[in-house]
Amino acid sequence: MGRLWSPWRYDYLEQETTEKGCLFCHILQSENDADNYVVHRARENFVFLNRYP
């Protein structure tokens, strides 16, 4: 089986995260949908795009 390598993602993998807590809670509480790639908010859920697909 071959390996899939995406070198443009490597910078992301090497980053040290300073954010604490739940990613989903952070996005849900934020009102900056454009920066968080939120495409839809509903009463009990929300949809957002993967920043590094």
Side-chain angles (χ1 to χ4, degrees):
M1 177 184 214
R3 290 190 176 149
L4 179 62
W5 172 245
S6 303
W8 59 89
R9 295 182 188 159
Y10 197 70
D11 289 339
Y12 168 72
L13 294 174
E14 287 189 325
Q15 288 178 355
E16 290 186 34
T17 59
T18 56
E19 294 182 25
K20 301 289 184 197
C22 172
L23 165 70
F24 301 104
C25 296
H26 172 72
I27 292 173
L28 182 62
Q29 293 170 359
S30 173
E31 295 193 15
N32 195 348
D33 288 349
D35 285 348
N36 291 312
Y37 300 104
V38 175
V39 294
H40 179 74
R41 287 183 182 260
R43 187 171 54 130
E44 295 187 20
N45 58 40
F46 63 101
V47 178
F48 65 101
L49 301 174
N50 186 350
R51 188 176 301 234
Y52 299 98

